[in-house]
Amino acid sequence: MSPRSTDPGGASRVRRRALLGTAVLVVLVALAGLTAYLTRDGRTSSKAPAPQTSSASPSSPTAPASASSRPHGSRGALPVPPSTHDPIAFGKAAAAALWSYDTRAYSQRKLLAALHGWLTSETKYADTASVDALVPSRVLWKEMAANGQFATAKVNEAHFPDSFTQALQADPGAITTAYVYAVTVSGKQSIAWNGSPHGGTENRVTTLAVQCRPSQPCALAGVLSAVAP
């Protein structure tokens, strides 16, 4: 498993994490009692776009290219978010970005800055800490860089969790407050370093909160603390 940076606690971070969970119909993280917080004002009866289950197929034309396609020895570029209105396609791209890094090509600070560019500009829903927690700390990054360590990712599949789909079907209007979708992505992370071109491979699965308002491209809201099947 990839190293994680130290994540100091704080009241604002805890509040943002709870709010993010609520935005994706917190049946996913056992915070259902807070749902009324986001939906108490001005809930509309308009219907959100229905989840496109067909787009979850690995062969979908909207699926982003795997981050593991570059040959060993080539340097990885900083991740750039795609311009799409499809939460499944965006979730795949975001997972590949979060599971990849290259200590040979850029600094830890630059990677964090690039990943922050994937986050929604609506700070009310942006859980920056959940993204930062997936990036190695500066101290660990320095040690990894000394060995030329890098990680690539291959996304196999992405879908809307059953619990999210059921909650959305039960109350389609609830999502129109924040337009935040839960997307569970599975794949593999491969890690290599100097003297070990093949390294090791690990299965990965995560549930992301993806905001896709009808009027703008999708953006990342955060990474949920628990995986929703």
Side-chain angles (χ1 to χ4, degrees):
M1 182 173 294
S2 59
R4 300 193 175 197
S5 59
T6 302
D7 181 18
S12 61
R13 181 183 63 80
V14 173
R15 180 179 179 277
R16 189 178 300 112
R17 178 65 59 82
L19 187 59
L20 175 63
T22 304
V24 293
L25 306 177
V26 293
V27 292
L28 303 177
V29 285
L31 296 177
L34 296 179
T35 302
Y37 180 81
L38 288 179
T39 59
R40 69 185 188 282
D41 296 324
R43 175 182 290 187
T44 68
S45 60
S46 61
K47 293 188 180 293
Q52 301 296 314
T53 54
S54 61
S55 64
S57 170
S59 61
S60 168
T62 60
S66 169
S68 65
S69 58
R70 66 177 185 270
H72 175 74
S74 61
R75 303 298 176 96
L78 287 167
V80 178
S83 180
T84 178
H85 292 270
D86 182 349
I88 293 291
F90 187 90
K92 287 182 176 182
L98 291 169
W99 297 340
S100 305
Y101 59 83
D102 194 339
T103 65
R104 307 165 303 171
Y106 42 74
S107 66
Q108 185 254 21
R109 179 180 58 81
K110 287 185 177 180
L111 177 57
L112 282 174
L115 292 176
H116 290 174
W118 289 64
L119 289 165
T120 173
S121 58
E122 297 181 47
T123 56
K124 182 178 182 180
Y125 302 116
D127 187 359
T128 307
S130 68
V131 172
D132 292 354
L134 299 180
V135 178
S137 68
R138 289 188 180 183
V139 173
L140 186 54
W141 185 278
K142 185 176 181 180
E143 296 176 359
M144 292 160 56
N147 294 320
Q149 184 168 320
F150 63 97
T152 57
K154 179 180 180 181
V155 172
N156 295 329
E157 187 271 344
H159 64 274
F160 296 108
D162 289 342
S163 52
F164 174 80
T165 301
Q166 292 168 5
L168 187 59
Q169 291 173 343
D171 189 0
I175 202 171
T176 60
T177 297
Y179 282 99
V180 174
Y181 298 79
V183 179
T184 296
V185 187
S186 61
K188 294 181 181 293
Q189 182 190 54
S190 299
I191 299 176
W193 54 89
N194 294 338
S196 181
H198 301 293
T201 300
E202 180 182 78
N203 292 327
R204 300 297 302 269
V205 59
T206 189
T207 300
L208 306 176
V210 177
Q211 185 182 54
C212 294
R213 290 195 181 277
S215 59
Q216 58 197 40
C218 296
L220 182 63
V223 183
L224 297 191
S225 56
V227 173

